[in-house]
Amino acid sequence: MSEKGNIKRGVSLYSYQEEFYKGELTLEQCIAEVSKTGATGIELLPEQMLKGFPKASDEFVDQWFGWMDQYRVEPVAYDAFLDNKLFANRLLTLEENVDMMVRDLKLANKLGFKVLRTLVSTPLEVIEHSLPYAEEYGVKIALEVHAPFTFGTPWFEERMEYIIKSRTKWFGIMPDLGIFVKKMPPVMEERYIRDGGTPKIIKFVSESYANGVNKDETFEVVKGMKEANSVDIAYAELARHIIYTDPIILKQYIPYIMHVHGKYYDITKDFQEPSIPYKDIVQVLQDAGYNGYINSEYEGNRHIQDFKKVDSVKQVKNHQQLLKSLVGS
């Protein structure tokens, strides 16, 4: 039996995207807000938040580590974006893709990050050719397991096969908890109703999803409804791309999990995420011996910004309260 895991709490600064974009929070203020929650891990999206990206001056680096000390936090994960479609007339070559990966590995190292998140769209060949550089700069490459992909899909199995056969220590996975959506998020459901969806049809789609009805079949049923409008059909289409995976599957991949994205869409007044079974997920991770961070990643803003002011600071604070109640620290 494995020892109980030691899960630490962190925050992806992506959670504050609304306020950062509007100029209501600076990068330092985002870090300060993380510190106020008691979380200690910082996840950064340099392309979004680092002025002058992909360059970082020595002055900024000094300031960055000064913030880490001042707010008693540490760099945890660097979120990279491989811009394979940078040009309108062609995809990047393998060499260009690897150069971009190396650029990010260097910057991640410079800022003290030990894990670099790469997207589901990153070709395996690019990762293979980047691993010597990952080792050189001491930064592990973690493939985000993100909906609509999940464990057991051909995409995932191909990458896991490489990780296991190569025995590399520099390539692993980063589950995004958006692959464990057990019920359609209420904020999504409510947004589609506000946008003109038929309440009973929207509810039908949500209930069908929760009951495990085949999503393609639900979509076809809605398309065939005479009273269904374009918003209803769009919601049924959305549901096809939301997925639920039994959290127990995490147990068999613990040795390869480098980091966890704590995706959530809303936190209720009683500090629960209504669509993702956090208690079950954390229990599996702890029991299986996961030692690492779960970082808050708030994505509910886009579903409520049409009718009220987004308060990401409060949302993150509430999510951290949920995590604290589950991990015990």
Side-chain angles (χ1 to χ4, degrees), residues 70-267:
Q70 179 181 349
Y71 297 107
R72 298 181 181 180
V73 292
E74 63 175 340
V76 173
Y78 174 115
D79 287 0
F81 295 88
L82 194 72
D83 300 317
N84 195 28
K85 297 180 180 179
L86 192 61
F87 303 109
N89 63 332
R90 68 175 179 88
L91 298 177
L92 295 189
T93 64
L94 173 61
E95 183 179 1
E96 288 170 330
N97 272 310
V98 173
D99 284 346
M100 189 174 290
M101 185 75 85
V102 173
R103 175 202 72 186
D104 284 311
L105 289 167
K106 285 182 179 179
L107 183 54
N109 169 273
K110 195 172 185 179
L111 296 177
F113 293 98
K114 299 300 181 183
V115 173
L116 178 145
R117 185 287 310 267
T118 196
L119 294 168
V120 298
S121 57
T122 305
L124 180 56
E125 185 181 25
V126 174
I127 296 173
E128 291 179 48
H129 283 77
S130 301
L131 290 180
Y133 302 100
E135 184 172 5
E136 178 182 349
Y137 294 107
V139 179
K140 295 179 178 179
I141 299 173
L143 181 69
E144 185 175 24
V145 184
H146 191 289
F149 299 97
T150 187
F151 299 99
T153 58
W155 164 87
F156 177 78
E157 293 303 325
E158 179 187 20
R159 284 147 181 80
M160 271 311 306
E161 182 180 14
Y162 175 80
I163 293 171
I164 293 170
K165 284 186 175 180
S166 68
R167 296 187 176 182
T168 178
K169 296 179 180 179
W170 299 99
F171 180 32
I173 59 175
M174 181 185 293
D176 178 282
L177 299 192
I179 64 173
F180 302 107
V181 177
K182 201 165 189 177
K183 300 177 182 178
M184 291 296 288
V187 291
M188 290 186 187
E189 181 180 286
E190 293 160 6
R191 176 63 190 264
Y192 275 77
I193 290 174
R194 288 196 305 276
D195 285 349
T198 309
K200 68 176 183 179
I201 297 178
I202 300 297
K203 294 286 185 182
F204 166 76
V205 172
S206 294
E207 289 171 3
S208 297
Y209 179 91
N211 291 327
V213 177
N214 183 284
K215 293 176 287 186
D216 292 334
E217 290 179 7
T218 299
F219 177 74
E220 292 301 326
V221 169
V222 172
K223 268 184 69 176
M225 291 179 176
K226 292 182 179 179
E227 67 273 34
N229 59 37
S230 60
V231 179
D232 300 326
I233 295 171
Y235 186 67
E237 174 64 26
L238 170 69
R240 296 169 82 182
H241 301 280
I242 306 293
I243 59 173
Y244 172 67
T245 307
D246 189 332
I248 196 66
I249 200 169
L250 290 166
K251 185 176 180 179
Q252 68 189 83
Y253 295 106
I254 291 297
Y256 311 105
I257 297 177
M258 296 175 167
H259 184 67
V260 175
H261 268 170
K263 172 73 60 63
Y264 69 104
Y265 302 99
D266 189 32
I267 300 297

